[in-house]
Amino acid sequence: MFGKKTERKYRKRYSAKASLILFILLFVLGMGAWFIYEIMAIKPADEWFESKASNEGKVSLPKDDAPHQAKMEWWYYNGHLTTESGKRFSFHYTTFIVTDLISHLVKHVSLSDHQTNQRFTDQRRTTVGIDFASATSDGFDFKMDNWTMTGKNGHDQLVAATNQYSFNLTLTSTLPPVLHGEEGIISLEQAGSSYYYSRTRMAISGTVKIGKKIEAVKGIAWFDHQWGDFTTNQLSWDWFSLQLDSGEDVMLYQLRDKLGNPILYTGSVTQNGITEVLSSKDFTLIPGKKWTSKKTGIAYPISWTIQIPKWNMDIKTQGLMENSEFDAMLSTYNIYWEGAVKIEGTHKGTGFMELYGYGDKKK
């Protein structure tokens, strides 16, 4: 069809183009393989997460109120409620998203009546996937049957209802959010890393219903939002949120591995919008009286001495209701202690405590 000269010319041109295409293809494949090897194979999960965190920036609000495509994420509230007649209640309400091949939505709720010493708990779980692509509203809106948790920029609504009790609460943050760790990121070492911030004082108004009696309530809540590339089954911890009458808000966190070895002992004291991050040398937590669950046989230290010398704090906390164990074996396959505490000593106020991992035989 072509002359020899023309044929040689086309062969050279075709060979040059083919060589260029082959070089580009090999370069792209090589860079992709290097990227996967360098990031995923060489770096452990915690370093890879920190790399993503550094590239994406630190916590940014209200954008980060919304869900993230993380391995573990939760939105957590605890609160103290009072009626006009002086009755007192406390609650905790958590929504978890656990992401593996699909996302699981889990809810835990407790309500304690401090007049009758009654404690109500419930839990729910669904395997319906979460559409993270639609989570662009700078907030969250979780609905499961007649339970809802909605929020955006410190204006939140909590609704939970069972045959025994219900509550409908409106919450408004009264202080700026507190970023924990380094601009909202804490390292959990071999367990991974976590974004973490709190709204430490949220004013509450709403209603509580126990049986057929509905009562108006007001109160104060603490909100935590935590997410990242970590797994809780490698950890145990003691966690405290304290709202002191003198104006300080205190978070303390003792994190251990399953053998009881310290991973991270940290905390913060916030006053007048200024937060001081605490290291392990800045505070001591000394366990006291233990309570043993008749149902599970797990012993929890429900009384603690807390000392923070730099802030002239020497206080004791005591669980208001000893039997505040939460059996979550039907939803997250774990058991923990979660309840309100009273505060005595150099400071007064309200508080909550969470004790996790005490049922592990290795601990």
Side-chain angles (χ1 to χ4, degrees), residues 183-229:
E183 296 185 67
I185 295 180
I186 61 175
S187 173
L188 310 181
E189 296 189 3
Q190 68 266 31
S193 298
S194 169
Y195 288 93
Y196 184 17
Y197 69 91
S198 301
R199 291 190 170 96
T200 60
R201 292 194 186 226
M202 302 191 77
I204 307 172
S205 62
T207 59
V208 168
K209 180 182 179 182
I210 295 180
K212 295 182 179 180
K213 188 173 180 60
I214 301 176
E215 298 200 63
V217 293
K218 291 186 177 181
I220 183 172
W222 180 292
F223 168 76
D224 269 2
H225 185 194
Q226 196 165 351
W227 71 97
D229 179 27

Side-chain angles (χ1 to χ4, degrees), residues 15-59:
S15 177
K17 285 184 179 179
S19 297
L20 179 61
I21 292 170
L22 181 61
F23 172 80
I24 293 172
L25 181 60
L26 290 173
F27 177 81
V28 170
L29 290 174
M31 287 300 293
W34 173 86
F35 178 82
I36 293 171
Y37 175 74
E38 174 68 16
I39 298 300
M40 299 302 287
I42 295 177
K43 294 187 177 182
D46 55 347
E47 291 183 21
W48 166 232
F49 183 79
E50 290 288 2
S51 174
K52 289 194 294 182
S54 299
N55 291 335
E56 295 172 1
K58 310 302 183 184
V59 170

Side-chain angles (χ1 to χ4, degrees), residues 166-322:
S166 66
F167 57 75
N168 188 330
L169 306 174
T170 300
L171 298 86
T172 304
S173 187
T174 61
L175 293 173
V178 174
L179 306 185
H180 299 295
E182 190 172 335
E183 296 185 67
I185 295 180
I186 61 175
S187 173
L188 310 181
E189 296 189 3
Q190 68 266 31
S193 298
S194 169
Y195 288 93
Y196 184 17
Y197 69 91
S198 301
R199 291 190 170 96
T200 60
R201 292 194 186 226
M202 302 191 77
I204 307 172
S205 62
T207 59
V208 168
K209 180 182 179 182
I210 295 180
K212 295 182 179 180
K213 188 173 180 60
I214 301 176
E215 298 200 63
V217 293
K218 291 186 177 181
I220 183 172
W222 180 292
F223 168 76
D224 269 2
H225 185 194
Q226 196 165 351
W227 71 97
D229 179 27
F230 64 92
T231 54
T232 59
N233 61 9
Q234 299 179 31
L235 306 170
S236 67
W237 62 74
D238 312 307
W239 177 87
F240 299 80
S241 64
L242 309 175
Q243 297 141 324
L244 304 180
D245 294 344
S246 49
E248 300 94 341
D249 295 327
V250 180
M251 185 279 288
L252 297 174
Y253 202 3
Q254 291 193 148
L255 203 63
R256 300 173 294 271
D257 64 22
K258 286 299 184 181
L259 297 176
N261 301 312
I263 292 178
L264 176 69
Y265 283 18
T266 187
S268 65
V269 178
T270 302
Q271 188 178 44
N272 300 324
I274 299 173
T275 298
E276 179 184 339
V277 176
L278 304 178
S279 68
S280 59
K281 65 182 180 181
D282 296 320
F283 67 93
T284 58
L285 281 169
I286 304 170
K289 176 185 175 182
K290 289 188 176 183
W291 170 81
T292 301
S293 168
K294 292 181 180 179
K295 180 180 179 181
T296 64
I298 300 172
Y300 302 93
I302 60 169
S303 174
W304 293 76
T305 297
I306 299 174
Q307 297 171 332
I308 310 177
K310 291 170 65 176
W311 288 81
N312 298 314
M313 291 183 191
D314 188 350
I315 58 179
K316 290 185 178 180
T317 62
Q318 171 74 39
L320 283 173
M321 190 175 295
E322 291 187 348

